[in-house]
Amino acid sequence: GTGSVTATPEANDVEYLAPVTIGGQTLNLDFDSGSSDLWVFNSQLSSKATKGHTIYDPTQSNSFALMQGASFEISYGDGSGAAGNVGTDTVDIGGATVTAQAVELATAVSQSFVEDPNNNGLLGLAFSTINTVQPQQQKTFFDNVMSSLAEPLFTADLRAQAVGAYEFGQVDTSKFTGAMTWVPVNNTQGFWQFTSESFAVDGGAAQTSTAGAQAIADTGTTLMLADSAVATAYYAQVDGAVDDQTQGGFTFPCAATLPDLQIDVGGTMATVKGTDINFAQVDDATCFGGLQATTAGLQIYGDIFFKSNFVAFNGGNNSLGFAQH
Ligand SMILES: CC[C@H](C)[C@H](NC(=O)[C@H](C)NC(=O)[C@@H](CCSC)NC[C@@H](N)Cc1ccccc1)C(=O)O
């Protein structure tokens, strides 16, 4: 089978939300290829925490079952997190269905999630080896549904300020132009991880950033966080760009024309359009870059990357496909 749902951006394309039906109740969740827990806002949380949110109420589902003694606790790179208990229920995403999917019921969520009323939880799409449920680790929706899919993959078609799609079980070739390039994924850390060690600015000469550098494809991260060698060389080509730590990173005059970035994905260059690298206005003439530097070991290619590239995640052979869209 297959499944297809809309992916709707919040303001400034900070996050993309997609409808998921759990025990007959539909919530918009943040599909996150950078984590592996499906957790939701639910009736156990205080009314203060759930104000403005759509919640899942397990008592209203005749297919819910509590997973006795199970709990979860997850932390994210931005310092946010959630924790709670666990049950199973029927989860449907655009027609792709899992009957006994682990659904994690938050009893505590960090303030950043409380303050984002469009986000009613996360649907993890990384590898099940980093799912946080204890004492028995649980599988992701994708892991559970894979064997029933026409093809063992899902795709992300995220668009700048426009509605895109997440699809399970098929690659819709009408959604991209040119050929799709497939590259190997190293899932030893539980992520859709690949080698990314070179780059070029505006079609210029390729430069090595850091030999052997790795990156992950993370639909749940807003920006594109690359080695500082990449970000520094990129913004050196933008008149007026500065690394302004008071704003939290590289900014530039909004009137600037941003060059395209070519970035190595598993040995093949992918292009991130300059127009997609203008993230948001921070004051009347200054804009904040969608490409920023990270000093962490892993580079994180988030929504800025996805706005220029249609991406397929193949769980059958652990590969990643990308194509311009
Ligand atoms: C601090 C926590 C570290 C990063 C690590 N956690 C992770 O790697 C988790 C699974 N993934 C994440 O923190 C990041 C990837 C970090 S690469 C190391 N992806 C998930 C993030 N986009 C989810 C999110 C969505 C919306 C708002 C906020 C957060 C751990 O538990 O050890």
Side-chain angles (χ1 to χ4, degrees):
T2 61
S4 178
V5 284
T6 52
T8 303
E10 287 187 327
N12 290 325
D13 300 340
V14 166
E15 283 177 350
Y16 289 77
L17 297 156
V20 177
T21 302
I22 306 171
Q25 302 171 40
T26 300
L27 290 83
N28 291 329
L29 303 183
D30 181 1
F31 284 23
D32 182 24
S33 63
S35 67
S36 304
D37 284 52
L38 194 180
W39 67 263
V40 292
F41 274 75
N42 64 91
S43 47
Q44 295 174 95
L45 285 163
S46 68
S47 52
K48 185 161 171 277
T50 61
K51 188 171 181 315
H53 287 268
T54 307
I55 62 168
Y56 167 69
D57 182 347
T59 66
Q60 298 307 307
S61 166
N62 55 25
S63 44
F64 173 79
L66 183 70
M67 195 179 292
Q68 292 293 350
S71 65
F72 81 98
E73 179 170 11
I74 191 159
S75 302
Y76 301 112
D78 67 346
S80 64
N85 44 51
V86 186
T88 58
D89 207 338
T90 299
V91 174
D92 181 284
I93 300 181
T97 304
V98 170
T99 48
Q101 172 64 41
V103 177
E104 302 167 34
L105 309 175
T107 54
V109 294
S110 50
Q111 194 54 23
S112 57
F113 288 118
V114 170
E115 288 166 2
D116 180 358
N118 304 304
N119 181 330
N120 303 302
L122 263 63
L123 189 129
L125 292 166
F127 291 84
S128 300
T129 49
I130 59 170
N131 172 270
T132 73
V133 174
Q134 306 227 350
Q136 283 103 9
Q137 189 171 60
Q138 298 299 307
K139 287 186 173 183
T140 66
F141 172 84
F142 178 51
D143 237 350
N144 283 322
V145 81
M146 202 183 321
S147 58
S148 72
L149 294 176
E151 292 180 86
L153 53 80
F154 67 92
T155 65
D157 176 27
L158 304 183
R159 302 279 169 159
Q161 321 261 324
V163 177
Y166 284 105
E167 301 205 55
F168 292 83
Q170 63 182 358
V171 178
D172 181 347
T173 54
S174 74
K175 296 290 180 68
F176 55 86
T177 58
M180 175 164 275
T181 302
W182 291 93
V183 301
V185 158
N186 171 352
N187 65 3
T188 53
Q189 294 189 77
F191 298 116
W192 294 92
Q193 180 182 319
F194 48 88
T195 301
S196 183
E197 58 190 357
S198 64
F199 68 99
V201 181
D202 215 9
Q207 311 170 46
T208 298
S209 54
T210 308
Q214 302 291 300
I216 70 168
D218 185 358
T219 55
T221 286
T222 309
L223 303 182
M224 182 169 176
L225 309 177
D227 280 1
S228 51
V230 179
T232 303
Y234 178 82
Y235 289 108
Q237 301 300 317
V238 179
D239 288 343
V242 291
D243 186 356
D244 179 352
Q245 285 314 310
T246 65
Q247 295 286 359
F250 288 93
T251 64
F252 50 86
C254 294
T257 303
L258 292 175
D260 291 351
L261 171 73
Q262 286 77 38
I263 193 84
D264 170 24
V265 176
T268 303
M269 286 299 196
T271 295
V272 181
K273 296 189 293 289
T275 49
D276 284 335
I277 296 178
N278 184 346
F279 174 62
Q281 199 155 355
V282 289
D283 69 34
D284 56 355
T286 310
C287 282
F288 190 75
L291 172 71
Q292 295 294 340
T294 178
T295 52
L298 270 183
Q299 301 173 98
I300 307 175
Y301 296 173
D303 299 337
I304 296 290
F305 177 85
F306 287 91
K307 286 189 250 188
S308 289
N309 290 279
F310 178 99
V311 179
F313 300 76
N314 189 315
N317 61 14
N318 290 338
S319 65
L320 209 59
F322 64 94
Q324 291 283 303
H325 69 161

